Amino acid sequence: MITVWQDLRYAVRRLAKSPGFTAAAVLTLAIGIGINTALFSNMDAVVLHPLAVPRLDRVVTVGEQEDRKPSAVDDLPVALADYEDWARQSHSFESLAVRKEEDRTLTGAGDAAHLEAAVTSANFFSVLRATPLLGRVYSETETQRGQDAEAVLSYGLWQRQFAGDASVLGRTIELDQRKYTIVGVMPKSMQYPSLADVYLPFAPAAEQLSDRKAHNYLVTGRLRDGVTVKQAQAEMKNIAEHMAAAYPATNAGWSVHVETLLEGINGSYTPLYYKLIMGATLFVLLVMCANIANLQLARGIALRPEIAMRSALGARRMRILRQLLTENILLSALGTAGGILVAQLYGHYLMASMPERVARYMAGWSNAELNRRAIAFSILLACGTGLAAGIAPALEALRVNLVEQLKAGSRSAIGSGRAHRLRNIFAVAQISLAVALVIGAALMTKGMTAYLHAADQYEPNRMLTFNVDLPLVRYDTPQKQAAWYADSLAKLRSLPAVTHAELTTALPYNEIGWVQDMTIENRPVAPGKFQGALRLPVSDGYFAELKIPIVDGRGFNGSDSFTTKPVAVVSQRFAQQYFPGQNPIGRRFHFYGDTAPVQVVGVVGDDFPLGELEFLRARGVRTITVWLGRDMIDWTKPCS
């Protein structure tokens, strides 16, 4: 320990005598370590530990999937009666919790606000091992019909709507004109579901408990100790087969899928994205290591007379090597201190620049911070960079010829051919990595720029959008909803600064409708074959506003209403797929669940970009866009 302390003090004196080299090396390391640490902190919060849930690997989602129709979503909804059977028959889970997600309008607490409500069973919080920050959660008795009037606020809603007031417990609010009493507030770390503003008791009616057709609910469970996901999957598969035999009309052809909650939250692309970004930043750190190694090589040549003198006086090579590496580790430690500061600043920038509406979809994003794991990662990087940047220069510095080195004016004092070759190797590696990074960054920038400007044809800077969720208590029929939309459109169109006002359920490059089973009139579907279309309701002026050309037939007009037959405008892709070489105008098809067939009245060009269209196609879903008219519209059923 005495010699280590001596090496450390000697390294401090030597670095102090070379302020230019020290500042350049520390700044280089601070930038490399800081950026890597900041990105690791975000990856840790979003991908590795998105939820503050004890033993998160034991929490799973359980969903149903129709074998003949591949799913295009990560969350697989289930029928409530099937969930009830699972809860009674399965032995792989400590408990299974059910929930559904609903839109609610908040009144009675300042300005009216749209909320995302998670309507859950009472054991939902125990499955996640979540405890409230204030108050309590609702009990089993409070999930009974007529007694389900309690509400638990999310941390975000508590801060936004109630300014973090601790006396909020016991206050009454109105959600869709029904009174609820606030009984608890969840902590900031409760990020599941990520969009949830408020948690409400799930109190199903008797007819819901026996329904095996409506797949509208999401199930989360916690595995028993010793039970693996594969074992749970095998058990649920067996239960599903028995249920298919017992209820063939509703359960035949349906399977059960079990996966960890972490896999469901991350999906396929988020971990890949972060791995690519982390790989790129590690390449940046390698470039910086090569840069520092070259500086160390140049400095090592200047140190050779000193090393020769110490060796002549009896210093062992291992002792000198340790002293040189101590200097490198000290540089890395100083770089780590600066890197933590850079990581803090960069982390704050990332948090501040992320739009709130996007951050809400990313579980764990608001919890990103420099925690113990991030600090440990930073220290590990410091040790690695210290050794990577210092070991080769230190070994090269020890390659001295004592006799030649001690001769004044020796040619070897300016460096051997081996040292020059090593410096060339580091320089080539540094330039190669830098060029690869620049090319990759240029390609990513080009792609991102094209993505950001893909919707320029729609003049997004002049287009305003907003979402409307009408409370079903007041607007309980399609006619009332259509009347509200028609009245709102008329008022918007009358504003002097408004040129167009239209309605849709999906924006360009943003959202999608839902893929729904369909059959074409007088054309039976082959057994086991899925035939569907992407359903997208729009108002009559939608095509003109987005400059989507009508290539055949007509668009929608005022004559298309509830009192007339349902009509549709289909895309060219739809017409080519289902009516090749034929005129689709006048043909009729039938969506699953609808009572009346839909007649094709027009064909439009395939100029409408859907953000997830290619993703859906990659998942094996046939996506043929169909635009439907009929007073915009009576599609009030939730998407299954």
Side-chain angles (χ1 to χ4, degrees), residues 152-183:
V152 177
L153 306 181
S154 69
Y155 183 88
L157 180 65
W158 180 51
Q159 293 292 324
R160 293 193 311 270
Q161 202 73 19
F162 301 93
D165 185 3
S167 63
V168 71
L169 299 180
R171 289 181 56 178
T172 299
I173 58 175
E174 285 190 4
L175 298 175
D176 282 4
Q177 299 181 324
R178 183 183 175 188
K179 295 183 182 296
Y180 289 86
T181 301
I182 300 174
V183 297

Side-chain angles (χ1 to χ4, degrees), residues 297-333:
L297 278 173
R299 195 162 180 265
I301 293 174
L303 290 177
R304 282 188 170 183
E306 177 187 331
I307 293 174
M309 182 64 70
R310 294 176 65 183
S311 299
L313 294 175
R316 292 177 296 175
R317 295 174 66 85
M318 186 57 66
R319 179 76 169 79
I320 297 174
L321 178 63
R322 189 176 67 186
Q323 190 275 319
L324 293 175
L325 290 180
T326 299
E327 185 175 317
N328 290 326
I329 295 297
L330 179 60
L331 274 176
S332 298

Side-chain angles (χ1 to χ4, degrees), residues 591-615:
F591 275 117
Y592 176 77
D594 290 351
T595 56
V598 180
Q599 185 176 20
V600 177
V601 296
V603 179
V604 295
D606 295 323
D607 297 295
F608 182 82
L610 295 171
E612 298 187 31
L613 184 61
E614 294 303 324
F615 170 71

